[in-house]
Amino acid sequence: MAELLPPALTKLIEALGNLPGVGPRTAERYAYYLVRREPAKAEQLASALTGLHSGIQYCPKTFALISSDEDVSPLYSDPRRDKKTIAVVAEPLDIISLEKTNEFHGTYHVLGGLVSPIDGIGPEQLHIRELVGRIDEDTVEEIILATNASVEGESTALYIQQQIGPDRTVKVTRLARGLPIGVDLEYADQITLSRALEGRQTL
Amino acid sequence: MAELLPPALTKLIEALGNLPGVGPRTAERYAYYLVRREPAKAEQLASALTGLHSGIQYCPKTFALISSDEDVSPLYSDPRRDKKTIAVVAEPLDIISLEKTNEFHGTYHVLGGLVSPIDGIGPEQLHIRELVGRIDEDTVEEIILATNASVEGESTALYIQQQIGPDRTVKVTRLARGLPIGVDLEYADQITLSRALEGRQTL
């Protein structure tokens, strides 16, 4: 079918098809939408893409994404941030989810993934050494392991706990597992329900 | 939350959020995927976007999308194409769907939309006059109205029929309405089922 479309359009459909979860039909829809809009829309997206990698970098402390003209993430440098409490997350975007709760005033540490042998990601590829370094440097009092409630999230949390070791006085916690708000008991899966039972709290 | 992300990333998330059906979460996912890939991936997409409008144009005959260095769509100029049969479609991408059937060997005419008063699209904005012109010019024998089975599709088809008028000898047909293949009768909606009854065929 490729010869039915002009090469400039085929090229765009292919490039859009590289985005995660975007199949050929969705890529066609995105591309055709841009065809119909004024060229400035496509140019705007093109310029945002061109400026992406030159405009960002990883914070050397938290490994959050920061602007290329910043030295360190404001999530670390801001004096209102409690440097003695670190939430450890897998990816930079997880920070946004936690910030939206408005309940956390500590700082962050982005691992850059989770231990996942199937994807070839070992613990040495994550920023775990740097995390242990921060614990000592900033005399951190609490590490909140805010990794996913998945096998990878759990094993990464365990590995980090081992690396911190029993000799450091830092308190290591992790996010509670239990029933998500608004979900009926009958729809909760067995593992979630087991965790909710284990973690039950007195009223 | 915007200040949590570097401006280069926010700009990209906003630009991606303009694509149809892409909400903030999906835009974040696309953008972060591009952050993690090598800059060449983002550059490839940027260059496809930049070359889009300069690389395509509308065919002056069929209004299909063609490469900017072509004069007329191969769907019209190809001698194997039967110019006396025209499938009338709303959008250029509808051509691909029909071509995939491998059962149509005529040529096409893209309307550029459907009559939709709610979206401010009147018949004069569609390429209907040009279609009537082609009927006379190429002594067309059959017009297949291949518009959607929606209110807009039906009213556009009716309007085209009126414009062709009773004096021209061209046969005007439209795609059959009925049960889609593989769908159970019990799941078919009333209107589809009514059309399937009306259009019932002797075995």
Side-chain angles (χ1 to χ4, degrees), chain A residues 34 44 63 82 90 107 113 151 170 175:
Chain A
L34 290 164
Q44 188 197 350
F63 298 96
D82 167 19
T107 177
V151 175
V170 62
L175 295 183

Side-chain angles (χ1 to χ4, degrees), chain A residues 4-6 11 18 20 22 30 32-37 41 43 47 49-50 53 56 65-67 91-92, chain B residues 6 11 18 20 22 30 32-37 41 43 47 49-50 53 56 65 67 91-92 96 99:
Chain A
L4 288 174
L5 291 174
K11 195 181 150 200
N18 283 330
V22 176
Y30 291 170
Y32 185 58
Y33 171 85
L34 290 164
V35 165
R36 291 202 295 183
R37 302 301 298 267
K41 275 280 168 214
E43 275 308 328
S47 105
L49 286 159
T50 306
H53 285 88
I56 60 172
L65 288 168
I66 57 172
S67 178
E91 304 289 357
Chain B
K11 194 181 150 200
N18 283 329
V22 176
Y30 291 170
Y32 185 57
Y33 171 86
L34 290 163
V35 165
R36 290 203 295 184
R37 302 301 299 266
K41 275 279 170 215
E43 276 307 329
S47 105
L49 286 160
T50 306
H53 284 87
I56 59 171
L65 288 168
S67 177
E91 304 289 357
I96 301 179
E99 282 297 296

Side-chain angles (χ1 to χ4, degrees), chain A residues 70-84:
Chain A
E70 287 175 315
D71 294 326
V72 73
S73 170
L75 293 168
Y76 182 79
S77 58
D78 189 330
R80 286 165 301 182
R81 289 277 167 182
D82 167 19
K83 286 196 186 52
K84 303 218 176 286

